[in-house]
Amino acid sequence: MTREEIINLFVVNVAKVSAEPIRMSGAGELNGAVAGLLTETDRVFCPSITEIEKGLEFSPDKLIQDYVSVSVCVEEAYAAIAETGSLVFESRGGKPVQAGLLCAHHVAILPSGGIHESLDDFFSSLGDTPPTNVTLETGPSRTADIELTLTIGVHGPGRLTVIVV
Amino acid sequence: MNDTAAVPFRANAITALRDSALRAAMSNAAETFSAKRSDAISGVPIEEWREQASELRLSVLDNLADYVDRFETNATRAGATVHRAKDSKEANDIITETLKDHGVQKVVKSKSMVSEEIHLNHHLQERGVTVVETDFGEYIVQIAGETPSHILAPAIHKDRRQVGKLFAEKLGCEYTDNPTVLATIAKTVLRQEFLSAQAGISGANFAVADSGSIVLFTNEGNGRMCTTVPPLHIAVLSIEKMVPSLADLPKFIRLLPRSATGQALSSYMSVITGTRKSGETTGAQEMHIVLLDNGRSKIITGKYREMLKCIRCGACLNACPVYRMVGGHAYQSTYPGPMGIVLTALLDGMERAHPLLDATTLCGACGDVCPVKVPLPDLLRKLREERVEKGFTPKLEQIGMAAFARAAESPVLFHLGQAAASFLWPIATKIGAKEGLERLSRPAAKTFRERVS
């Protein structure tokens, strides 16, 4: 597959699992795109660890350090897998992986070069000494425990937005 | 459930069959899951995947002791404390001691069939530790004081109105039968539990020998909460969950959620390797892994060893015509359905499990859907043979079978038996044997031999 085909497959599969894919051509549009996703009352956590995260600008009243009490978590994903439409988050570099679980709306930013074509590509790259936590996130939190009725957003976020840069 | 009294499957099945709401819920669940599975495996090389996964599972079982050793070494290196438990009692004691050492009074728990197998909740609660189940379905079942009826959808036997009433009664909220609102109520209650719990207990879908990692699949995210939010994490898993390396995981990732819920992948899949390292902000400060044997080292040497290939997807339950009718509770065992019958016989013994061997039609559907090719129909047949050998069939059946064996070897006796059957039938049906005979077809006026000769 070419890079473009891999990106397209990823975007198609992200939409299939009820997440919202957004594609943009350059990092310059990022701040506008992220701001457009936030509502008036949203409080945001951003780990500000990677270069992309450090480049994001939020109004100071929106940004909160304590990720337990925010509605939105905006962060860069470590990688992604086109085959399943999954995002990969890792504890590498001091990332609090659970922050993306405790919020109601998870916004993930993904440089398109980080998309692996298949599960095999990604898991072969992990080796035998992975970081403490590697999590694949494939769509929003869901359950069907009452009469198999699909309910979105049980313990984790009910909304997942994926911005492919 | 540690007693050896035979499971009253017939009585349980009769009760279940008279419950029309339960039957509707069970068949809805089984049909929905089966249809989703069919959709998920169309257009993928499923036979090739099943074959590969089966071979890999077998090769792990061939060298299981080595893989378990390797897992222990690597998990220990990553910061976990690994315990080996030969049976339920040892596992429960290890977990209780660990919690006591840390002064833990309340734990949050994500769904784990192994913890059900060892009756962990009961054990902990008797010792004063509060256990909060955090899977939505498990939580419903727990506050209702019941047990799961399906390994994937534990509360499938309850409809939305029953859950609404239960929540209003137990949680003091306003009655609603809206599943989304009910899930939100549970989320709010459980969020506080996650944030305040001193320890989290989880199972594991797989354990990776070369990296010492455990692997968890959940859709709700409760598994991730239990393993990342509290400072202490205890994982309890059975030894056969081993896979050689992380690179082998995709073979099972492609099969497990597809066979279980019809998804290409569950919402969350976590690979957890030991404790939080310096510079990290995720991961428990202390992690204990309890590796449960509970008879598996013995099973692996015998003729039922392929049962240990099972990855607990639940596909055989949904495919089974008996399970679809009676549901999980009738089996009165940790594991229901076709895989459950075999596991119960192997783990609890024939004395307890033998009536469950009637809960199969030997139609073969369970074997056809199994993602790792566990030969369930063969195993069930072998267990039925063993049941006869060990004398666990009903007395009447034993006498009847012995009489038939004699008659089948002698044309004279056979003919006599046929004559006796048509002669005695009207009398037998009048003298109280009616109940048992009404399900048999009445003897033909002319036997087959009379008609063709």
Side-chain angles (χ1 to χ4, degrees), chain B residues 44-310:
Chain B
V44 300
I46 187 71
E47 285 313 313
E48 197 185 313
W49 290 358
R50 289 175 77 210
E51 191 57 47
Q52 281 176 2
S54 168
E55 271 173 30
L56 190 57
R57 291 295 294 140
L58 274 180
S59 77
V60 166
L61 295 182
D62 285 341
N63 303 292
L64 188 60
D66 291 345
Y67 283 112
V68 174
D69 287 345
R70 220 192 296 172
F71 173 79
E72 180 172 355
T73 307
N74 291 319
T76 307
R77 192 171 50 201
T81 306
V82 179
H83 307 262
R84 308 242 189 156
K86 74 170 191 301
D87 55 23
S88 302
K89 190 186 174 300
E90 277 193 15
N92 284 326
D93 287 346
I94 292 164
I95 297 168
T96 311
E97 282 307 306
T98 308
L99 293 173
K100 284 237 162 103
D101 285 351
H102 292 77
V104 175
Q105 272 139 15
K106 188 166 73 183
V107 292
V108 284
K109 187 161 162 278
S110 73
K111 196 153 69 108
S112 146
M113 291 308 293
V114 167
S115 75
E116 300 278 345
E117 179 182 323
I118 63 176
H119 307 296
L120 177 63
N121 288 11
H122 179 74
H123 186 93
L124 289 178
Q125 267 146 3
E126 271 190 341
R127 281 151 192 82
V129 180
T130 307
V131 182
V132 183
E133 289 287 353
T134 60
D135 172 85
F136 185 36
E138 289 275 353
Y139 181 67
I140 294 169
V141 167
Q142 187 184 41
I143 63 172
E146 297 173 2
T147 55
S149 56
H150 191 290
I151 65 173
L152 298 175
I156 196 64
H157 57 286
K158 287 185 130 37
D159 65 26
R160 60 184 71 194
R161 284 173 296 277
Q162 289 172 312
V163 179
K165 273 187 210 141
L166 178 73
F167 273 34
E169 185 194 319
K170 300 277 179 176
L171 305 176
C173 56
E174 207 170 304
Y175 172 83
T176 171
D177 60 10
N178 180 327
T180 308
V181 178
L182 289 166
T184 310
I185 294 168
K187 174 182 182 167
T188 311
V189 174
L190 290 171
R191 180 61 64 99
Q192 287 317 308
E193 301 285 11
F194 284 126
L195 296 176
S196 63
Q198 299 152 290
I201 296 182
S202 76
N205 295 95
F206 299 104
V208 184
D210 285 348
S211 62
S213 318
I214 63 160
V215 183
L216 278 171
F217 294 74
T218 69
N219 273 315
E220 299 180 3
N222 61 312
R224 288 181 61 194
M225 293 274 187
C226 289
T227 56
T228 56
V229 179
L232 169 65
H233 171 205
I234 302 176
V236 51
L237 53 136
S238 50
I239 51 170
E240 84 280 14
K241 300 271 162 101
M242 297 293 152
V243 297
S245 74
L246 290 166
D248 294 309
L249 278 177
K251 292 188 183 77
F252 298 105
I253 299 173
R254 292 192 180 101
L255 286 168
L256 180 59
R258 275 190 174 83
S259 306
T261 54
Q263 291 168 284
L265 188 48
S266 315
S267 295
Y268 305 114
M269 178 194 152
S270 291
V271 179
I272 297 161
T273 312
T275 47
R276 184 180 296 206
K277 319 287 184 294
S278 99
E280 287 185 329
T281 57
T282 295
Q285 264 100 24
E286 197 172 328
M287 182 191 196
H288 290 259
I289 301 174
V290 182
L291 295 173
L292 176 75
D293 189 309
N294 213 17
R296 287 163 173 84
S297 295
K298 211 168 163 192
I299 296 168
I300 216 167
T301 60
K303 58 183 171 182
Y304 302 107
R305 70 193 306 261
E306 285 205 59
M307 188 61 230
L308 297 182
K309 290 197 295 185
C310 175

Side-chain angles (χ1 to χ4, degrees), chain A residues 10-61:
Chain A
F10 174 71
V11 168
V12 166
N13 283 332
V14 162
K16 263 191 201 162
V17 294
S18 317
E20 304 158 22
I22 299 172
R23 275 194 81 169
M24 59 188 42
S25 46
E29 305 164 42
L30 253 180
N31 271 308
V34 171
L37 289 166
L38 304 177
T39 66
E40 193 66 32
T41 54
D42 274 334
R43 289 295 171 270
V44 183
F45 171 76
C46 176
S48 302
I49 291 173
T50 69
E51 287 310 310
I52 283 184
E53 288 164 356
K54 284 178 186 158
L56 292 170
E57 287 157 15
F58 299 95
S59 61
D61 60 318

Side-chain angles (χ1 to χ4, degrees), chain A residues 83 120 132 145 147 154-155, chain B residues 134 137 160 187 254 267 280:
Chain A
E83 178 183 348
D120 302 281
T132 304
D145 276 343
E147 298 178 15
V154 199
H155 295 302
Chain B
T134 60
R160 60 184 71 194
K187 174 182 182 167
R254 292 192 180 101
S267 295
E280 287 185 329

Side-chain angles (χ1 to χ4, degrees), chain B residues 448-453:
Chain B
F448 182 71
R449 288 205 309 169
E450 282 165 354
R451 280 179 18 203
V452 295
S453 60

